[in-house]
């Protein structure tokens, strides 16, 4: 299969490495300097170069802010039956775009990234495939993700957004609160250092991505859950209620499984 990858960032380069030994792969990025460290693939810095390549699939690995723009840039240079695919963690606007584009499509979300995951060992990681996509595209990514040892789940676009509000909004918000309230310690403990590493990793992400994930309409409900739990914990601590604290800790352990 001929696969065109959009965006030569960390995930774009990862998919280049992953796919280039079994497929004819090209990568396009408007910044030629970002193409220097890609290999075993064709490298395009102009959309016009895509015409002769004639891809069967376009895998959009551009950052969330530019996902739709990247698609619109290459649409005039691909044939109507080419499959459009994305790996965006925020799907806002994509269902409407796919409906209007007229191409078969498949949308997935690898639930790992270069900030925290080891891209050379993904056996404990997960991926989501949107069930509303093209059957051939879904089969392609099912096989691809399974070959990496990933656990794969299928959701609708709506189910994806609801799941992401829970799985990303809660840890994102918790890390942001930690970072906003922390004071630097001259001799930090192990727990503090681990929280610090997570918070710093999160803050290395793009501001637009962080904002869009938290602007998910379902995030407000998750933030309310955090606020209610924190208020409950504050009351227990303020009253030094040992019995209530034991019950609270027991409920946390139960949630953690």
């Amino acid at each position: 299969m001929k696969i065109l990858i959009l965006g030569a960032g960390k995930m774009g380069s990862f998919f280049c490495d992953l796919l280039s030994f079994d497929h004819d792969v090209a990568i396009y990025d408007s910044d030629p300097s970002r193409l220097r460290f890609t290999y075993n693939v064709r490298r395009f810095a102009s959309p016009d170069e895509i015409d002769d390549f004639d891809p069967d699939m376009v895998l959009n690995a551009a950052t969330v802010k530019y996902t739709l723009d990247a698609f619109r840039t290459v649409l005039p240079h691909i044939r109507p039956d080419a499959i459009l695919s994305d790996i965006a963690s925020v799907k806002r606007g994509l269902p409407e775009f796919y409906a209007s584009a007229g191409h078969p499509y498949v949308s997935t979300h690898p639930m790992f990234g270069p900030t925290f995951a080891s891209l050379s060992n993904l056996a404990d990681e997960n991926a989501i495939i949107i069930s509303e996509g093209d059957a051939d595209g879904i089969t392609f990514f099912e096989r691809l993700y399974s070959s990496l040892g990933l656990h794969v789940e299928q959701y609708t676009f709506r189910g994806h957004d609801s799941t992401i509000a829970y799985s990303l909004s809660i840890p994102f918000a918790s890390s942001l609160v930690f970072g906003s309230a922390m004071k630097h310690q001259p001799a930090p403990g192990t727990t503090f250092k681990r929280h610090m590493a997570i918070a710093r990793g999160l803050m290395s992400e793009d501001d637009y991505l962080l904002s869009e994930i938290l602007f998910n309409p379902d995030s407000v409900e998750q933030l309310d859950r955090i606020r209610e739990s924190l208020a409950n914990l504050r009351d227990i601590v303020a009253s030094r209620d040992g019995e209530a604290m034991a019950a609270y800790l027991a409920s946390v352990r139960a949630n953690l499984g």
Side-chain angles (χ1 to χ4, degrees):
M1 180 184 289
K2 286 187 173 183
I3 301 175
L4 172 67
I5 296 175
L6 306 182
K10 292 179 180 177
M11 290 303 287
S13 297
F14 167 74
F15 275 95
C16 271
D17 293 344
L18 179 63
L19 296 168
S20 61
F21 290 96
D22 296 312
H23 302 277
D24 187 358
V25 175
I27 186 165
Y28 164 73
D29 197 296
S30 58
D31 181 359
S33 67
R34 293 166 64 87
L35 299 170
R36 288 179 298 178
F37 303 109
T38 55
Y39 68 98
N40 200 36
V41 297
R42 309 188 202 194
R43 296 180 286 185
F44 300 152
S46 168
D48 293 335
E49 297 177 89
I50 297 169
D51 295 335
D52 291 335
F53 182 60
D54 190 26
D56 303 302
M57 175 183 285
V58 176
L59 197 168
N60 194 332
T63 58
V64 169
K65 186 175 183 179
Y66 299 110
T67 299
L68 294 179
D69 287 342
F71 270 141
R72 293 184 181 115
T73 296
V74 303
L75 278 181
H77 303 275
I78 61 175
R79 63 179 190 270
D81 64 341
I83 298 174
L84 302 180
S85 65
D86 74 272
I87 56 169
S89 53
V90 176
K91 302 299 185 185
R92 191 172 70 169
L94 280 166
E96 296 81 5
F97 170 79
Y98 284 135
S100 65
H103 284 256
Y105 74 88
V106 56
S107 183
T108 77
H109 182 181
M111 297 291 286
F112 56 87
T115 301
F116 295 114
S118 170
L119 297 182
S120 61
N121 182 15
L122 298 171
D124 294 326
E125 304 294 344
N126 303 288
I128 291 173
I129 296 177
I130 302 300
S131 59
E132 295 152 300
D134 174 77
D136 290 337
I138 289 174
T139 298
F140 176 87
F141 279 97
E142 282 180 331
R143 291 173 177 169
L144 179 65
Y145 289 151
S146 295
S147 72
L148 297 173
L150 296 170
H151 172 71
V152 179
E153 291 283 347
Q154 286 198 28
Y155 292 98
T156 63
F157 277 115
R158 181 71 189 92
H160 169 271
D161 289 350
S162 178
T163 299
I164 295 309
Y166 173 78
S167 63
L168 292 184
S169 294
I170 287 180
F172 278 25
S174 299
S175 295
L176 289 171
V177 170
F178 169 82
S180 66
M182 65 156 289
K183 295 181 180 180
H184 288 280
Q185 303 295 313
T190 301
T191 302
F192 184 93
K193 288 191 290 184
R194 288 182 178 177
H195 277 271
M196 175 71 85
I198 291 173
R200 283 178 170 164
L202 180 68
M203 297 314 297
S204 71
E205 296 283 2
D206 177 74
D207 286 2
Y208 185 89
L209 172 64
L210 298 177
S211 299
E212 286 299 292
I213 287 174
L214 290 170
F215 288 162
N216 182 330
D218 294 312
S219 293
V220 174
E221 179 183 350
Q222 304 305 328
L223 293 175
D224 286 341
R225 292 180 60 204
I226 294 175
R227 183 172 60 183
E228 290 168 7
S229 180
L230 189 58
N232 183 27
L233 178 60
R234 183 197 179 283
D235 291 342
I236 292 171
V237 172
S239 62
R240 299 178 64 84
D241 188 334
E243 186 174 325
M245 178 61 82
Y248 184 89
L249 296 176
S251 69
V252 172
R253 289 191 177 95
N255 280 348
L256 295 174

